[in-house]
Amino acid sequence: DIEGISGLARRLVEMGRSRGKQPRIKVSISPFVPKPHTPFQWVAQESQEALDAKYETLRATLKRARTQVSWQNPRMSLLEAVFSRGDRRLGRALHRAWSLGCNFDAWSEHFQFTRWLQAFEETGIDPHFYAHRERTRDELLPWSHIDVGVSPAFLWRDCQKAFRGDQTPDCRLGPCSACGLEERYEACHGKRGVPAGAAGG
């Protein structure tokens, strides 16, 4: 991905120059945050050290390509992962952070990461347990009781396909992917063909 982002930026610059212009390319990047009810809900977020190293690589390569880059603070992305993948125990930490003065944290000038770390420590919460731990397929997830229509079996299959580099076709244009929504929506009815291994989703 890092090489792909840098390569795309260089190609865009070259395309502009080939037309006699000096393009101004801006690249905005955010660390990956695994989210519930997606194929990557079992995947761990990368560590702070790994994200910092990738940012430095991108910053250096994009600078050589005369491309501006903006990067979301990985510490803010850590909090996003914690609260996306966490359970009700995080309520104590959230309240404590608020009492320590954590307000308007989406604005970088108000973001006080040390206060969040203090809140986690005082309430006995390990943020890395929620953000940086890979989940097993049979683990009961904090959001497992919420039915969004798409089956966990389909999400797991899609996750494995993603790691193989395979794509799931858009079922609006072809056969049903058997994600679970075909049981609920009229638009899914009448689709022909079910992918191999989809039975029992």
Side-chain angles (χ1 to χ4, degrees), residues 52 55 59 96 160 179 181 201:
D52 286 342
Y55 169 68
R59 187 181 63 82
R96 181 57 182 147
Q160 305 313 301
C179 69
L181 292 176

Side-chain angles (χ1 to χ4, degrees), residues 123-144:
T123 56
I125 297 294
D126 178 8
H128 303 291
F129 174 81
Y130 294 107
H132 298 144
R133 182 175 61 86
E134 186 170 336
R135 316 291 174 95
T136 62
R137 183 182 183 182
D138 58 352
E139 179 174 344
L140 186 64
L141 304 173
W143 52 90
S144 293

Side-chain angles (χ1 to χ4, degrees), residues 136-184:
T136 62
R137 183 182 183 182
D138 58 352
E139 179 174 344
L140 186 64
L141 304 173
W143 52 90
S144 293
H145 64 289
I146 301 173
D147 181 7
V148 297
V150 178
S151 72
F154 171 80
L155 294 177
W156 180 262
R157 289 196 306 271
D158 220 36
C159 181
Q160 305 313 301
K161 289 175 67 175
F163 282 113
R164 295 194 304 268
D166 298 337
Q167 295 183 354
T168 298
D170 187 337
C171 60
R172 294 172 298 179
L173 306 175
C176 174
S177 296
C179 69
L181 292 176
E182 71 279 2
E183 302 293 333
R184 300 186 179 194

Side-chain angles (χ1 to χ4, degrees), residues 180-195:
L181 292 176
E182 71 279 2
E183 302 293 333
R184 300 186 179 194
Y185 293 101
E186 190 70 28
C188 296
H189 295 169
K191 286 285 186 180
R192 295 182 179 178
V194 175

